[in-house]
């Protein structure tokens, strides 16, 4: 259950993000904007820039797996000021979680998960609650922030770029 709730979601959305980043790199080249400048863009002064949003997406792939499995998954190499390095970081994190067997995640959904945040807050949740109430919302928050920053800057992104995996479900017109 937990594996099916998380891994396909992560795989689909990181794939979508890869497509968005490919468009962003092309847009940078066409508009004379350095990738470093785009990666340093924020939605508002009190939010992290695109580079950090991408780092957080990668972290949100790994942190839940560490908490839910107890496995020590390696952190991918730090990204530099290029879009390609962020794509490599995301792909490395995705590869690490893809290797986790479903049975490793799909143990007791009522088992407790302890979560300590850097700000000193601590939570105790069931595994099912942790996935629903923390892991997935955190992942989506940073994926949406990354998309929004690129779109705000002018990268030509639309809804299909956010959910390209939905194209396989498109109903063919009759006739």
């Amino acid at each position: 259950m937990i594996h099916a709730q998380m891994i396909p979601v992560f795989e689909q959305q990181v794939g979508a993000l890869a497509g968005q980043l490919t468009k962003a790199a092309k847009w940078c080249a066409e508009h004379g904007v350095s990738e470093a400048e785009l990666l340093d863009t924020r939605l508002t002064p009190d939010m992290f820039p695109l580079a950090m949003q991408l780092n957080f997406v990668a972290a949100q792939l790994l942190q839940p797996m560490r908490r839910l499995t107890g496995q020590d998954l390696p952190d991918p190499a730090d990204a530099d000021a290029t879009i390609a390095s962020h794509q490599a970081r995301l792909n490395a994190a995705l590869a690490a979680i893809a290797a986790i067997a479903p049975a490793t995640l799909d143990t007791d959904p009522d088992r407790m998960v302890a979560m300590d945040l850097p700000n000193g807050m601590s939570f105790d949740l069931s595994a099912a609650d942790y996935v629903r109430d923390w892991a997935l919302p955190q992942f989506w928050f940073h994926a949406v922030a990354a998309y929004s920053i690129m779109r705000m800057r002018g990268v030509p992104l639309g809804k299909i770029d956010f959910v390209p995996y939905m194209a396989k479900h498109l109903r063919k017109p009759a006739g």
Side-chain angles (χ1 to χ4, degrees):
M1 171 182 105
I2 289 176
H3 186 276
Q5 286 179 309
M6 295 180 72
I7 302 300
V9 170
F10 290 165
E11 290 171 342
Q12 288 178 337
Q13 199 56 42
V14 170
L17 190 51
Q20 295 163 30
L21 289 169
T22 297
K23 279 190 167 186
K26 182 179 177 191
W27 178 85
C28 284
E30 290 173 351
H31 290 84
V33 175
S34 74
E35 291 182 8
E37 180 184 335
L38 178 63
L39 289 165
D40 198 39
T41 301
R42 301 167 186 261
L43 285 174
T44 67
D46 67 341
M47 284 183 77
F48 288 110
L50 176 57
M52 284 301 298
Q53 299 298 343
L54 296 170
N55 286 339
F56 284 134
V57 169
Q60 293 306 318
L61 295 173
L62 297 168
Q63 286 175 356
M65 299 306 130
R66 289 180 181 127
R67 286 190 179 116
L68 292 167
T69 68
Q71 295 181 15
D72 185 24
L73 301 172
D75 282 314
D78 288 340
D80 59 23
T82 64
I83 289 171
S85 71
H86 282 279
Q87 287 177 311
R89 181 179 176 86
L90 287 163
N91 288 335
L94 197 57
I97 67 164
I100 296 172
T104 306
L105 286 172
D106 292 340
T107 60
D108 180 11
D110 293 323
R111 72 189 180 281
M112 295 308 291
V113 174
M115 185 175 64
D116 299 318
L117 301 180
N119 66 4
M121 295 174 76
S122 297
F123 298 87
D124 294 310
L125 304 95
S126 71
D129 289 346
Y130 170 74
V131 169
R132 182 194 65 221
D133 298 342
W134 183 262
L136 288 172
Q138 287 297 307
F139 172 79
W140 283 114
F141 177 88
H142 296 294
V144 169
Y147 170 89
S148 298
I149 290 168
M150 289 183 278
R151 178 130 185 201
M152 177 191 72
R153 280 301 305 265
V155 176
L157 299 174
K159 178 74 82 73
I160 194 63
D161 297 298
F162 193 75
V163 291
Y165 45 84
M166 288 302 296
K168 67 184 176 195
H169 302 291
L170 186 62
R171 184 177 304 133
K172 305 285 188 236

